[in-house]
Amino acid sequence: MAAAPFELHPQLRADAHALVDLDLSRVLLMDDARYAWLILVPMRAGMSDWIDLPHAGQHRLLDEIELCSRALRIVARPDKLNVAALGNLVPQLHVHVVARHVGDAAWPKPVWGIGERAPYPADTLAARKAQLLAQIEIARRG
């Protein structure tokens, strides 16, 4: 029997923009200009927790989190990087990597549930995506 095809959860599709597909994960840019915020979604059906991935996949996901964290660090120059996999509202396995700045809209609290999302204007979105893609490609080669 063939494995079920990967489908992005509708909430993730509604809240974020596709950025790039890595070996394991689809990388999304959260559509909230208040934060530089990436979401990694392993492209495997039926996964809800990190331990649902095979051992090699768990390590691949950690490598991809590192790659995206490095790209965010260069592009956003955060005071702190937050990495979290909650999944309480969206059961599909996904990992948030959020560049945080002292004094941002939620600082020092978590970003979830603070204020209203501020969607990216089209020109800012295009520029942010280009910056992140460039840094992800540099990190992939490095």
Side-chain angles (χ1 to χ4, degrees):
M1 178 185 270
F6 167 77
E7 289 187 36
L8 190 62
H9 189 280
Q11 190 66 55
L12 294 172
R13 197 169 40 250
D15 290 347
H17 301 278
L19 188 62
V20 65
D21 286 352
L22 301 175
D23 293 338
L24 174 65
S25 302
R26 176 160 298 157
V27 180
L28 310 173
L29 174 62
M30 183 68 167
D31 192 18
D32 190 341
R34 297 176 301 163
Y35 315 100
W37 180 347
L38 297 178
I39 303 170
L40 289 80
V41 186
M43 294 180 287
R44 303 291 184 271
M47 303 286 150
S48 60
D49 292 301
W50 176 72
I51 61 170
D52 294 336
L53 290 167
H55 189 261
Q58 293 173 15
H59 288 266
R60 181 78 232 150
L61 180 55
L62 289 174
D63 289 344
E64 291 178 355
I65 291 167
E66 178 194 8
L67 185 139
C68 289
S69 295
R70 291 186 183 285
L72 270 178
R73 181 175 275 168
I74 291 168
V75 170
R77 305 227 184 272
D79 296 308
K80 181 75 174 92
L81 284 169
N82 291 173
V83 177
L86 302 175
N88 297 337
L89 297 176
V90 175
Q92 183 174 44
L93 176 58
H94 62 287
V95 178
H96 300 267
V97 183
V98 187
R100 301 296 306 276
H101 295 92
V102 172
D104 69 30
W107 188 265
K109 298 176 182 170
V111 295
W112 294 276
I114 302 292
E116 293 295 318
R117 187 166 53 121
Y120 280 98
D123 58 334
T124 306
L125 174 63
R128 176 56 53 104
K129 286 175 80 172
Q131 292 169 329
L132 288 165
L133 280 171
Q135 290 306 318
I136 287 170
E137 285 307 313
I138 289 168
R140 285 173 97 173
R141 291 192 306 259

